[in-house]
Amino acid sequence: MTPERWKKLDLLFHEALELQGEARAFHLAKVCGEDEQLRQEAERLIAAHEREGSFIDSPIFAELDGPTNEVCNESPVGRRIGPYQVISQLGQGGMAKVFLAEDTRLERKVALKVLPSAFTQNPGRVRRFEREAKAVSALNHPNILTIHEIGEADGAHYIVSEFVEGETLREQMRRGALSLATSLDVARQVTDALAAAHAAGIVHRDIKPENVMARPDGLVKVLDFGLAKLTEQPAVTAAAVTAEDDSHIKTTAGLSTEPGVVMGTVSYMSPEQARGQKVDHRTDIFSLGVMVYEMLAGRRPFEGETTSDVMAAILTKEPEPLEELSSEAGTKLARAVIRCLAKDREARFQTVNDLATQLQSATERSEQSALRQARRWPRPVWVAVTLALLIIAAVVYWKLAPKATPDSQIKSLVVLPLENLSGDPAQEYLADGMTDALIGDLAKIGALRVISRTSAMRYKGAKKPLLEIASELNVDAVVEGTVQRSGNRVSIRARLIHAGADRQLWAESYDRDLRDALGLQSEVARAIAREVRAKLTPAEQTRLANYAAVNRKALEDYLQGRYLYWRMGGQLEKAVEYFQSAINEDPTYAPAYAGMAACYNALGSVVVGALPPPEARRRAEEAALKALQLDDTLAEAHAALGYAYNYNWNWAAAEQEIKRAIELNPNSAETHSLYSRHLSAVGRADEAIAEANLSQDLDPLSLYMSTMRGHVLTNARHYDEAIEQLRRVIALDPNDYMAHWFLGIVYSNNRMFDEAVATSERAVVLSRRAPGALGVLGMNYGLAGRKVDANKTLNELLELNRRRYVTPVALVQVYIGLGDKDRAFDWLEKVYQERSNFMAFLKVIPMADPLRSDPRFDDLLRRIGLPR
């Protein structure tokens, strides 16, 4: 068969695979026409795929692989794709090959999934490929394969993920039946992964043994979110479908699939999936039930000689009782699995957490059963085992039991995100707001180290063991709980866990009117402080008790505003609207003014650039002063005012306000980060680095705090350390444009111009060509000797400046790169006139070095109050 014919067959196979019944037959007939041989070959491939469970398992795989490689150009093994050195091929899925590769930048092994360049002409295939990356990159969970990056190089689209050494569940099952304990452990971990995905609004839609990987240490990873669909995507309208869409898959942004299209693997499909109906998270529960049934029984619950027979069984037949096929399963577990397989989704478990409870119960019974079995051993064996267990227990107790020494005192803790029990996603703002308030109250206690909000929220929806979380954050204790709203009442349950001893120290339930919710959080904070024996100063005791009831609508609007503020990006303007609404409801509510001040400061920053800096800081200052007029003990208001003063070059007043904010809330990572930038700007480098280190210690998982530490290190000219810091941020989130932005600057300062250009180009793409990112790119083009590219970027910025606001900093940077000092100073004067944040760092930023010998530079420093 010719390469062209193989390519046509491969495309036909993948298109037809996603259809069923009459739709598939019609598609084959339409595409193949009179070519009966081509139709038969396609049907043979489809049958092999569905019989074996995946294309890679098909005996035809090797036959198709040779010609396909010829079509897809030579193998990339031994070559580089972007920054990745390809080592070997790991396997092939339905539409892409997977290779073992080395990330030459970070010197680590990764899995590189590559869509062959010959197939990028198929828009539907490219969209599905990218959809997988976007779906799974939104998730952060130990049982979900971590996506590092998505990119394109030399026409090849690729997804980079962590490299998992291990084998698929299918490979394990082929060697023989799995034990009950192993089956339950796998099921529990997959359940945890799905719980995180469902909490993020993502349905996997293709749970099967081929998509479950087990590492040698027993950790399970769920792979291939290629069929994932964001459940809250709006329905697709006919007007949204473009001419490039596949005829049988209608999408917008590659995320929403039209009802009537059957996607997934037949043996593991839910009834609604097989019918092509709209699916939700309960389709994953069905597929997981099929997989658990297969692990326990050694066969699938719905079988048949053909695809149609399997689908008919799924739709019409009941599975054979699991108790009759697996004596180990037990009645309760068997019923739980059968419940997952209910035809009516309303009859299944409604959440994977409900299923997880049943699995946990079965796991405990399995362990008890094993113990009972052990008691049947011969007496000498039983005695030896008992003694061994007693010795182990004694060692473990000696290691983990709390000691009656001062070392067991709790000096640090994290408040995990309170779980929203209302069942209404629209109430997430309330759960997050209550978490935020409790963190804020505990953070006022100087004797405690309290992890900041950003790092705490990283664990939202995660099911990690508390001891693991405590270890990752280096804390002594964990606070967790739930919040539920019913009408105008809010109920909170909280408990305090000593991480080292793994035991509960305190738990309490509270029920209040919503208007007293923040006072309730203060009460919880005081109870926790008493339990950990934290020494409160009289001022701290007063601040923790200083809460008054708030107008319900004002409180709700305030919490909505805080929720949107933390999401940043395009949500800041909406957050301002909510804060203003809260003020309209209650003009005496100081926190709403403080929230508004924080928003305006962010809107005027170089990174966001939504408002001219003078206007943004004027509004921020007015709001912060009003908040302090109402409540002088509000740390957030002092911090916002200090921010405005700092970038208005009121240096002494800025430091006074920032230090007052730290005094009122010593655990605010945001304020310590702001202080580090203030100290950096005025030239106190060592103190600045110390404050940046403290902010990262208080918020260790915050990418923003880490990036700001990189900025401070850059200004101190600790380039190698700054590069290492920012690379770590990008390793955690390859799509963090601000980290790329700052890293491009550091590379340039360190005269690593090739790396500077590549990183800045990435920042421009990730920021959607933000003017600030374009300015850094233009500068790096110029410094790298690429004057033509620098001038193109300059022209783009000048044209953009004629149509909308563009920060003049961007033009200064490009002219520095081009070596045009006069024009750089012309635009730097505009930076001065608009009092840009950039101006505050003029004394220390290395990129300004080419201008320092000019008298105009000293004049600018004098005018902002920072003489050389």
Side-chain angles (χ1 to χ4, degrees):
M1 189 178 290
T2 64
E4 291 76 14
R5 192 170 179 78
W6 272 111
K7 180 178 177 181
K8 186 173 182 180
L9 173 60
D10 181 69
L11 292 173
L12 177 64
F13 161 73
H14 286 98
E15 291 171 349
L17 187 64
E18 295 180 349
L19 301 173
Q20 298 293 337
E22 292 181 3
R24 176 186 289 171
F26 177 79
H27 178 73
L28 290 172
K30 178 182 177 182
V31 175
C32 297
E34 300 297 324
D35 195 337
E36 182 64 20
Q37 181 187 1
L38 184 64
R39 185 184 63 78
Q40 289 178 358
E41 288 293 338
E43 288 181 341
R44 188 163 69 96
L45 283 174
I46 293 166
H49 178 281
E50 292 176 345
R51 181 174 64 252
E52 300 295 333
S54 73
F55 187 40
I56 195 171
D57 297 322
S58 168
I60 300 174
F61 174 76
E63 177 185 348
L64 183 60
D65 189 43
T68 302
N69 277 342
E70 184 178 349
V71 174
C72 301
N73 304 319
E74 61 180 299
S75 168
V77 173
R79 296 190 291 112
R80 283 180 65 155
I81 297 179
Y84 304 100
Q85 182 71 36
V86 181
I87 299 171
S88 62
Q89 183 169 337
L90 296 174
Q92 178 163 335
M95 58 186 249
K97 293 185 178 181
V98 184
F99 298 91
L100 173 64
E102 181 181 4
D103 185 337
T104 58
R105 300 163 303 181
L106 299 177
E107 298 182 349
R108 62 179 176 183
K109 289 182 178 179
V110 296
L112 189 70
K113 180 178 282 191
V114 180
L115 183 63
S117 58
F119 296 139
T120 57
Q121 298 174 4
N122 183 334
R125 201 180 259 228
V126 173
R127 280 194 300 274
R128 289 193 294 277
F129 184 77
E130 292 180 344
R131 178 172 62 209
E132 173 180 352
K134 290 176 181 177
V136 75
S137 66
L139 305 172
N140 179 20
H141 192 274
N143 295 122
I144 295 175
L145 187 76
T146 301
I147 292 291
H148 296 318
E149 182 181 5
I150 180 171
E152 180 181 359
D154 300 325
H157 294 257
Y158 60 82
I159 297 174
V160 184
S161 67
E162 63 176 313
F163 170 59
V164 181
E165 294 193 47
E167 57 184 356
T168 65
L169 182 58
R170 174 67 67 205
E171 291 168 325
Q172 286 188 335
M173 293 165 68
R174 282 196 181 123
R175 293 202 305 271
L178 303 182
S179 68
L180 175 62
T182 299
S183 300
L184 288 171
D185 184 49
V186 170
R188 178 186 57 78
Q189 294 189 62
V190 174
T191 300
D192 287 348
L194 291 176
H198 295 171
I202 295 176
V203 180
H204 189 286
R205 305 172 81 214
D206 198 24
I207 292 296
K208 59 185 179 184
E210 289 75 18
N211 284 338
V212 176
M213 177 76 80
R215 294 194 328 197
D217 62 2
L219 183 69
V220 165
K221 294 277 186 177
V222 178
L223 319 176
D224 195 2
F225 276 71
L227 294 177
K229 172 181 148 183
L230 297 183
T231 56
E232 295 183 0
Q233 276 296 112
V236 182
T237 64
V241 179
T242 70
E244 293 181 339
D245 284 324
D246 293 351
S247 60
H248 59 287
I249 301 178
K250 310 297 185 185
T251 67
T252 54
L255 294 175
S256 184
T257 304
E258 221 179 37
V261 176
V262 177
M263 299 184 73
T265 305
V266 173
S267 297
Y268 301 88
M269 283 183 178
S270 64
E272 59 269 22
Q273 207 173 0
R275 292 189 176 100
Q277 297 172 340
K278 184 177 180 180
V279 302
D280 59 22
H281 61 280
R282 290 170 292 184
T283 202
D284 285 345
I285 293 174
F286 185 95
S287 300
L288 179 57
V290 174
M291 196 174 77
V292 176
Y293 187 105
E294 185 177 3
M295 285 192 290
L296 295 172
R299 54 176 259 198
R300 297 169 190 161
F302 306 105
E303 296 181 325
E305 294 183 6
T306 67
T307 298
S308 298
D309 292 338
V310 175
M311 292 186 71
I314 290 172
L315 294 172
T316 62
K317 294 183 179 179
E318 294 300 328
E320 189 174 347
L322 188 55
E323 300 100 309
E324 298 177 11
L325 301 175
S326 172
S327 58
E328 285 188 302
T331 303
K332 196 166 184 179
L333 174 60
R335 288 177 180 172
V337 174
I338 295 299
R339 183 178 172 186
C340 293
L341 303 177
K343 311 293 183 195
D344 181 359
R345 70 183 92 185
E346 298 294 336
R348 296 173 209 152
F349 290 104
Q350 296 302 290
T351 69
V352 286
N353 290 327
D354 295 337
L355 172 59
T357 301
Q358 295 295 320
L359 292 175
Q360 181 61 36
S361 176
T363 301
E364 292 168 356
R365 286 198 303 277
S366 172
E367 292 168 350
Q368 292 167 2
S369 175
L371 185 59
R372 286 195 297 271
Q373 182 66 31
R375 289 173 182 150
R376 299 193 185 101
W377 294 341
R379 181 177 179 82
V381 176
W382 170 244
V383 171
V385 170
T386 302
L387 286 173
L389 289 174
L390 287 172
I391 292 170
I392 292 170
V395 171
V396 170
Y397 180 80
W398 180 79
K399 289 281 188 182
L400 298 182
K403 310 295 190 299
T405 68
D407 291 338
S408 64
Q409 181 182 354
I410 292 174
K411 299 178 181 178
S412 57
L413 58 80
V414 60
V415 179
L416 295 182
L418 299 177
E419 184 182 357
N420 172 23
L421 293 185
S422 68
D424 180 6
Q427 293 297 317
E428 283 301 318
Y429 80 91
L430 179 62
D432 286 2
M434 294 293 96
T435 305
D436 197 15
L438 183 53
I439 292 172
D441 281 332
L442 288 168
K444 296 172 183 176
I445 303 173
L448 277 178
R449 170 178 165 258
V450 181
I451 296 298
S452 290
R453 181 191 192 280
T454 309
S455 290
M457 283 297 174
R458 287 263 179 175
Y459 296 94
K460 187 177 177 69
K463 297 297 180 182
K464 278 190 175 183
L466 297 183
L467 188 59
E468 185 178 341
I469 293 174
S471 176
E472 289 177 357
L473 296 175
N474 190 28
V475 294
D476 303 321
V478 176
V479 178
E480 65 172 3
T482 61
V483 58
Q484 185 169 15
R485 179 178 178 176
S486 178
N488 288 325
R489 305 289 294 180
V490 60
S491 299
I492 292 178
R493 176 169 177 77
R495 64 180 189 138
L496 176 69
I497 310 295
H498 191 296
D502 193 21
R503 65 187 180 91
Q504 180 174 297
L505 299 179
W506 167 87
E508 191 60 76
S509 297
Y510 301 85
D511 183 83
R512 296 284 194 281
D513 188 284
L514 180 62
R515 62 197 300 270
D516 297 320
L518 295 185
L520 184 158
Q521 293 299 73
S522 180
E523 186 177 339
V524 174
R526 291 196 301 272
I528 292 172
R530 286 194 298 271
E531 190 61 39
V532 301
R533 299 180 178 86
K535 292 182 179 179
L536 299 180
T537 67
E540 289 171 346
Q541 292 175 351
T542 300
R543 288 196 292 271
L544 280 175
N546 187 25
Y547 275 100
V550 182
N551 175 290
R552 289 193 194 102
K553 179 67 166 55
L555 177 60
E556 287 192 75
D557 286 339
Y558 169 73
L559 293 178
Q560 288 276 20
R562 292 289 295 177
Y563 181 73
L564 293 171
Y565 169 77
W566 284 109
R567 298 183 72 173
M568 299 291 284
Q571 305 292 316
L572 286 168
E573 292 92 340
K574 190 66 177 175
V576 169
E577 292 179 15
Y578 273 109
F579 288 134
Q580 184 60 59
S581 179
I583 291 168
N584 294 341
E585 290 291 330
D586 184 354
T588 66
Y589 190 42
Y593 290 100
M596 184 175 287
C599 283
Y600 280 131
N601 278 329
L603 287 166
S605 67
V606 174
V607 174
V608 178
L611 282 176
E615 179 185 352
R617 285 198 290 273
R618 177 184 58 78
R619 295 185 185 184
E621 187 175 329
E622 289 175 355
L625 287 171
K626 181 63 177 178
L628 293 175
Q629 179 184 339
L630 294 166
D631 182 359
D632 186 51
T633 66
L634 205 54
E636 295 86 350
H638 283 287
L641 187 58
Y643 182 105
Y645 284 162
N646 186 70
Y647 293 109
N648 278 337
W649 320 321
N650 192 346
W651 307 110
E655 182 166 14
Q656 180 181 336
E657 292 298 329
I658 296 170
K659 289 174 74 173
R660 175 59 174 157
I662 290 173
E663 179 187 346
L664 293 168
N665 186 345
N667 285 286
S668 172
E670 263 198 307
T671 309
H672 284 289
S673 178
L674 171 61
Y675 194 28
S676 75
R677 300 197 298 278
H678 167 82
L679 293 168
S680 174
V682 298
R684 293 154 64 182
D686 291 342
E687 294 174 78
I689 293 173
E691 284 294 316
N693 292 343
L694 181 54
S695 73
Q696 191 168 50
D697 185 49
L698 290 169
D699 211 347
L701 302 183
S702 168
L703 301 186
Y704 177 78
M705 299 304 162
S706 295
T707 301
M708 289 299 100
R709 180 173 182 268
H711 173 54
V712 169
L713 289 167
T714 302
N715 292 342
R717 299 169 192 259
H718 295 190
Y719 297 142
D720 291 341
E721 194 176 351
I723 289 170
E724 181 183 354
Q725 173 79 15
L726 294 167
R727 279 176 173 173
R728 282 199 297 267
V729 175
I730 292 170
L732 291 170
D733 183 1
N735 295 321
D736 188 314
Y737 76 86
M738 191 161 66
H740 282 87
W741 190 331
F742 282 87
L743 183 57
I745 294 173
V746 189
Y747 278 143
S748 177
N749 295 336
N750 209 29
R751 304 192 66 77
M752 301 166 66
F753 296 125
D754 289 343
E755 292 87 345
V757 167
T759 305
S760 298
E761 287 176 337
R762 184 66 178 151
V764 167
V765 171
L766 292 173
S767 68
R768 299 181 181 179
R769 308 193 75 77
L774 283 168
V776 174
L777 177 60
M779 178 182 71
N780 288 339
Y781 276 147
L783 294 173
R786 296 170 58 174
K787 304 296 184 181
V788 173
D789 291 324
N791 277 299
K792 285 182 180 177
T793 306
L794 175 63
N795 291 333
E796 181 179 349
L797 285 167
L798 291 171
E799 175 59 30
L800 193 61
N801 189 49
R802 284 189 279 271
R803 292 185 279 112
R804 49 158 283 196
Y805 170 76
V806 169
T807 172
V809 174
L811 281 304
V812 173
Q813 290 167 327
V814 181
Y815 283 122
I816 287 175
L818 289 169
D820 191 337
K821 290 186 179 182
D822 288 338
R823 294 197 178 182
F825 274 111
D826 288 343
W827 283 95
L828 199 51
E829 185 64 31
K830 291 182 172 62
V831 175
Y832 169 81
Q833 294 298 333
E834 76 163 27
R835 306 179 85 84
S836 167
N837 289 20
F838 173 89
M839 205 68 191
F841 298 100
L842 191 63
K843 179 175 181 174
V844 293
I845 50 173
M847 76 169 69
D849 286 356
L851 308 178
R852 292 186 189 279
S853 61
D854 194 296
R856 288 173 289 184
F857 191 84
D858 285 339
D859 180 58
L860 282 168
L861 285 180
R862 179 188 56 77
R863 282 189 274 161
I864 65 174
L866 289 175
R868 197 195 300 255

